[in-house]
Amino acid sequence: MEGTGSMYQVKATVLFNEKAGKAHYRMKLEVSQIAKDARPGQFVHIRCSSGDDPLLRRPFSIHKCAQGRIDILYQVVGRGTAILSKKRRGDQLDLLGPLGKGFEIDSAFSKIFIISGGMGVAPLYMVAQEITRLGQGKEVTVLLGAKNKELILDKDDLESLGLRVMIATEDGSEGYQGLVSDLFERLISSQTSLSLAVYSCGPVSMLKKIAELSSHQGFFCQVSLEQRMGCGLGACLGCVIRGTSGYLRVCKEGPVFDAQEILWDDPGLEIK
Amino acid sequence: MEGTGSMYQVKATVLFNEKAGKAHYRMKLEVSQIAKDARPGQFVHIRCSSGDDPLLRRPFSIHKCAQGRIDILYQVVGRGTAILSKKRRGDQLDLLGPLGKGFEIDSAFSKIFIISGGMGVAPLYMVAQEITRLGQGKEVTVLLGAKNKELILDKDDLESLGLRVMIATEDGSEGYQGLVSDLFERLISSQTSLSLAVYSCGPVSMLKKIAELSSHQGFFCQVSLEQRMGCGLGACLGCVIRGTSGYLRVCKEGPVFDAQEILWDDPGLEIK
Amino acid sequence: MENLPDLRVSLGRIHLRNPVLVASGTFGYGEEYKDFVDPGELGGIITKAVTLKPRKGNPPPRLAETPAGLLNSIGLENPGVEVFLKEKLPHLKRLKTRIIVNIAGEKKTEYLYLAEKLGKGGGIDALEVNISCPNVEKRGLIFGTRADLAFSLVKGLKQATDLPLIVKLTPNVTDITEIAQAAEEAGAEALSLINTILGMAIDVNTRRPKLGAITGGLSGPAIRPVAVRMVRQTFQKVNLPLIGMGGIMSAEDALEFILAGATAVAVGTANFVDPAVSLKIVEGLRQYLRKMRINYFHHLIGDLRT
Amino acid sequence: MENLPDLRVSLGRIHLRNPVLVASGTFGYGEEYKDFVDPGELGGIITKAVTLKPRKGNPPPRLAETPAGLLNSIGLENPGVEVFLKEKLPHLKRLKTRIIVNIAGEKKTEYLYLAEKLGKGGGIDALEVNISCPNVEKRGLIFGTRADLAFSLVKGLKQATDLPLIVKLTPNVTDITEIAQAAEEAGAEALSLINTILGMAIDVNTRRPKLGAITGGLSGPAIRPVAVRMVRQTFQKVNLPLIGMGGIMSAEDALEFILAGATAVAVGTANFVDPAVSLKIVEGLRQYLRKMRINYFHHLIGDLRT
Ligand SMILES: Cc1cc2nc3c(=O)[nH]c(=O)nc-3n(C[C@H](O)[C@H](O)[C@H](O)COP(=O)(O)OP(=O)(O)OC[C@H]3O[C@@H](n4cnc5c(N)ncnc54)[C@H](O)[C@@H]3O)c2cc1C
Ligand SMILES: Cc1cc2nc3c(=O)[nH]c(=O)nc-3n(C[C@H](O)[C@H](O)[C@H](O)COP(=O)(O)OP(=O)(O)OC[C@H]3O[C@@H](n4cnc5c(N)ncnc54)[C@H](O)[C@@H]3O)c2cc1C
Ligand SMILES: Cc1cc2nc3c(=O)[nH]c(=O)nc-3n(C[C@H](O)[C@H](O)[C@H](O)COP(=O)(O)O)c2cc1C
Ligand SMILES: Cc1cc2nc3c(=O)[nH]c(=O)nc-3n(C[C@H](O)[C@H](O)[C@H](O)COP(=O)(O)O)c2cc1C
Ligand code: FES
Ligand code: FES
């Protein structure tokens, strides 16, 4: 299991916070303790306001991590993220991390798909990076899906890791026209699954589709899931989703789960 | 009565917001409708946050007013004023104003004292200005009191109106050593009171002292008072203080009252 | 096509142009907000409480802010029903909106006299009966905390006046639906909920209560989840139209109450934060209906999917 | 001179190093916060509820944020008392702090079995009896809303165990002092108040409740004024030491409860906002005592000037 080390509470300094799309931002934070231990798929829990509006922290995947710094890639969807988007260089943020269980990246797999829907790329960049680091002749494909081409994030960064990146847009404005899960289905239709590993993050409907393929075809598949969070530390039991073996805490047993552990029909998986 | 005209709700643009002392700030706001009607002693009710922390507006005296702009002079004492102090040029604030009843400035008085304790100078600058405008051979003295000389505000501005300004500091670091109300008592000890008017604002203990002198010696005396506010419009009955004729709304019957209207021993006058 | 979306709702015999009212005690008698709100654009105005005799109210400070909330201890300050009829009602009558007069008393007979007098005043569309006051006859018991007291009060009022009676419930009870049912059986036309939750705040530097009256009523967004829950529970138990209130700051907040089962809403503390908020909520409801392609507002009432 | 200011307080037979506890359900069984808080610096830990049988808890989502508040519907998820004794207690025992175990049940006999079993476990300093659960025998009536049920439950527990009993009261009642008095008469050693206030929130876009269980308990700063008021009322009516809780985020907030009459406080939701907050509150209390030149913390208890 990845990420059972220490957790830290730190005052992180904002190094930059810049627009990365219509409502998307990248923020780089100076936060050496967390960066030291962070594994792909783990997250940080950020206090957006020093007052009580909003009251709770907000969880964000660790998008990049290097030299004592981490990046988060986030979308403004409500009050917490709106406040974050106003932070400037030099501002301080209270962070907990690294939290949760990350992806299992095993050198045994020779063929790997990294599949992102929308913001799902946030925890996947580090997966791609880690796999590249493991190196030696793997066949790695990154599939990036989004509504339209403006919402495709990180394509260049992923390509500069030397990976094959394919795009799917629902409106066909770039790459394959349709859902990224359909693109994936086409690509693997005629393939053997034993040495195949899939790492994915995105909307529940998309992950569910991929999970079904994984259960039919028997390939290894891990997904990163979301749930509203309280403590982020496993204490409050607030962030559960339904697994085959009972309720699972997204902040502790997850956010990365084997696709087969999850009861994909549970309505509680949809947050909004 | 001053200030029974229209009230406006406006989005005011911050023109500057600069430090004026240890925890003191001056903010200039572009707000033509309010500036047009504002009278000395009236106030604006400012929404410091668009969320609910803090929930209520905060009242501030109109410190200066010219050419479609108003200044406020304020001290950071809690969450609302802390948020205000972070505003920068170009930010927008939601203001109500001008609110309340201002000072009665009557050209009948030939000898005038303007007496400020601490932040009390905020509503008094406009009084000084108005009196100067009325002109013609009045004897006007401004007394500024504070704990120490660093906390004396607006001395230069008042002097450049051509007024005599005297200082009282509790630690004697400038001017008279002692309370400004004591300085005032000395200055008027041997004087006739009929043509004398006093305008004052400051801590309750100081105003009470001046009010007592006024009732003994019979001079005209108006004070500006504070109370926690809800609506600021006279609707909620939340901001009352005890007057000789019953409860008085600070936002409507005040914030400026004749010293004789107030029951000075009521503990409800002390806000904190 | 007619004027769609249609925001009209009815609280029994009281027909409202739209479901947005202003809550008692937060909008005075309708004059104070004239520069910000045209009452003709609102569903109606619920006045500050009127009592039989003038009341001075509680000692200051009367307000204390708390996280996302406001404690108040106004203490029903008002000039009494005589002055109300002479000085306030004439102005209220001229407003082109529904006028609901909030009444309060310490004895049953006070309520009955009040209702009679106001019934003769003309121009009043309904009475909102504030049963959160301590009953001096029953040694401080609150009318609104005992079903039997509430029943007998409303029953008596029914006989004293023809005006529609809206009973305003207090949240400071174990089971609000019991009181709601008692009011329904006694003949209430509608119910308002919730009044403020009893609370208190202390200044730890002076070690004194922040309010002159020591305790006060908590209102504002802080209490909204409690209010929505009580509206839902009551909606499931009684057949009366409900006026939902408690922390409504926006159209979205108002919709929570409507989906929970309220027919109309009242905006209280939010008026202090933004004097024009009630009109913005009317507009926000209209936009929501358009976005959701719903023509008739009343289709939303109680439409919570569980 | 001894170690001043002296923060020690006693809850009957339970002696605390300082008055700051962590509230049930917000600190797990003490392990989850190990990187942030040394429990040895706290007055004690109140565990997540333990029930007789394992409980799966409620369907997700289990949390919804509200203005300055948090709704939760965890539904007492826990592994049951057997697993608790085998897997959680050994770890808890090693912590150099007071261990208070929160217990819950749906029938009186469940509580009694639990108390007996835990009494034999050793290393437990007290039981906190959560009487906010629906009583399945009395058709869903909550133990904590009826003085007679609360009395008989506590009386029974007194016979089943020698462990000090802290009764945790629910705020969802007309008069919390009635239940408090019943618990006192039945032999409670101390009282905890308040548990969460029942609330609900709705997503107006999906028109669904935000919680899987529809309603949940409201905690956090939003409820603090209500909690402080209830502590004050209870302090004036009973002679038991009180543990105050509800929205404590800082030492100042804790002091409101102490001045109102609490002997100790418990920090709940604030742990989610800042995992180290409980220690900061201990330090803040120490600083306050110094600033006020008070040597003994217990002099502050109930010292409200009215
Ligand atoms: C493990 C994890 C990793 C995440 N990583 C990222 C990321 O890298 N980039 C990114 O943009 N978003 C990420 N999210 C989602 C992100 O946490 C939410 O978008 C954010 O909390 C919204 O806060 P808000 O105040 O802006 O929105 P609001 O809608 O106002 O929030 C209201 C409440 O709902 C919760 N909430 C709302 N949306 C979500 C959601 N999707 N997941 C969990 N809780 C939610 C909030 O935390 C808050 O408690 C992640 C979520 C989880 C659980
Ligand atoms: C008519 C009027 C004019 C004022 N003019 C000025 C001015 O020109 N410059 C200036 O610095 N201050 C002025 N004040 C005081 C100013 O309103 C308070 O300092 C401010 O509200 C504090 O807000 P806060 O959130 O920073 O403090 P907090 O202490 O966090 O506020 C908590 C609550 O108490 C209220 N409150 C706290 N102090 C006061 C106070 N002294 N008077 C009224 N309510 C208070 C707040 O409005 C809020 O509701 C004036 C007050 C009134 C009533
Ligand atoms: C300052 C103030 C005064 C109030 N006065 C009354 C009143 O006179 N009669 C009454 O029934 N309710 C009164 N209320 C309660 C409100 O009408 C409303 O029920 C409550 O505030 C909850 O709504 P809100 O959270 O939107 O304010 C008052 C509330 C406030 C804040
Ligand atoms: C997520 C969560 C779980 C809780 N679980 C329990 C519980 O198991 N037993 C209990 O008696 N109280 C439980 N509570 C109530 C708290 O112990 C406390 O009484 C309440 O939250 C008020 O304090 P706060 O506002 O500081 O959180 C829980 C509260 C929260 C937020
Ligand atoms: S957020 Fe508390 S257990 Fe996961
Ligand atoms: S603040 Fe509402 S009446 Fe003065």
Side-chain angles (χ1 to χ4, degrees), chain A residues 115-118 142-149 151-152 165-184:
Chain A
I115 312 174
S116 154
V142 181
L143 306 184
L144 300 178
K147 288 233 158 58
N148 58 54
K149 86 178 201 201
L151 296 172
I152 295 289
V165 178
M166 296 176 73
I167 306 293
T169 54
E170 289 177 39
D171 69 352
S173 51
E174 188 175 342
Y176 173 84
Q177 170 160 14
L179 299 172
V180 70
S181 46
D182 292 341
L183 171 60
F184 171 62

Side-chain angles (χ1 to χ4, degrees), chain A residues 58-59 61 73-75 78 80-81 119 122 226-227 271-272, chain D residues 65:
Chain A
R58 299 292 188 255
S61 299
L73 175 65
Y74 64 99
Q75 186 177 2
T81 46
M119 283 304 303
E226 299 184 353
Q227 182 55 286
I271 302 178
K272 278 276 163 165
Chain D
E65 211 179 2

Side-chain angles (χ1 to χ4, degrees), chain A residues 23-25 41-45 48 54 56-63 71-84 99 119-123 201 224-230 239 250-251 254-256 271-272, chain D residues 63-66 70 210:
Chain A
H24 299 76
Y25 290 80
Q42 287 193 295
F43 69 99
V44 289
H45 212 21
C48 302
L56 297 177
R57 289 173 183 267
R58 299 292 188 255
F60 297 93
S61 299
I62 300 171
H63 177 52
D71 282 21
I72 61 169
L73 175 65
Y74 64 99
Q75 186 177 2
V76 173
V77 298
R79 183 136 184 94
T81 46
I83 292 176
L84 267 196
L99 304 181
M119 283 304 303
V121 72
C201 182
S224 177
L225 294 176
E226 299 184 353
Q227 182 55 286
R228 294 196 206 121
M229 283 192 180
C239 64
V250 169
C251 74
V256 174
I271 302 178
K272 278 276 163 165
Chain D
L63 299 176
E65 211 179 2
T66 67
L70 171 64
K210 288 197 181 165

Side-chain angles (χ1 to χ4, degrees), chain A residues 12-62:
Chain A
T13 307
V14 176
L15 296 175
F16 67 69
N17 186 28
E18 59 189 27
K19 270 208 145 177
K22 253 180 79 175
H24 299 76
Y25 290 80
R26 293 174 197 278
M27 181 186 278
K28 194 181 280 299
L29 294 156
E30 177 85 55
V31 54
S32 56
Q33 286 152 305
I34 294 177
K36 177 169 56 65
D37 294 347
R39 303 284 309 143
Q42 287 193 295
F43 69 99
V44 289
H45 212 21
I46 303 187
R47 189 162 179 193
C48 302
S49 153
S50 61
D52 47 35
D53 179 22
L55 182 63
L56 297 177
R57 289 173 183 267
R58 299 292 188 255
F60 297 93
S61 299
I62 300 171

Side-chain angles (χ1 to χ4, degrees), chain D residues 70-107:
Chain D
L70 171 64
L71 283 170
N72 90 79
S73 59
I74 310 299
L76 299 180
E77 173 175 343
N78 81 95
V81 69
E82 298 295 348
V83 176
F84 172 79
L85 287 170
K86 228 179 329 169
E87 295 177 16
K88 306 291 179 187
L89 189 57
H91 169 79
L92 280 167
K93 279 186 191 173
R94 281 195 298 273
L95 306 176
K96 294 187 173 44
T97 195
R98 298 284 169 234
I99 303 301
I100 299 171
V101 178
N102 183 278
I103 61 171
E106 291 178 346
K107 297 191 222 164

Side-chain angles (χ1 to χ4, degrees), chain C residues 219-236:
Chain C
S219 64
I223 70 169
R224 192 167 62 236
V226 180
V228 171
R229 180 263 295 184
M230 288 186 164
V231 165
R232 185 71 189 166
Q233 290 178 318
T234 306
F235 177 71
Q236 290 172 326

Side-chain angles (χ1 to χ4, degrees), chain D residues 155-192:
Chain D
K155 194 90 190 169
L157 281 167
K158 232 4 227 183
Q159 276 146 18
T161 182
D162 285 336
L163 285 175
L165 297 172
I166 302 169
V167 177
K168 181 155 178 185
L169 305 177
T170 167
N172 301 297
V173 293
T174 308
D175 182 0
I176 199 167
T177 67
E178 263 185 33
I179 320 293
Q181 284 171 321
E184 178 176 38
E185 279 162 37
E189 191 106 1
L191 303 175
S192 281

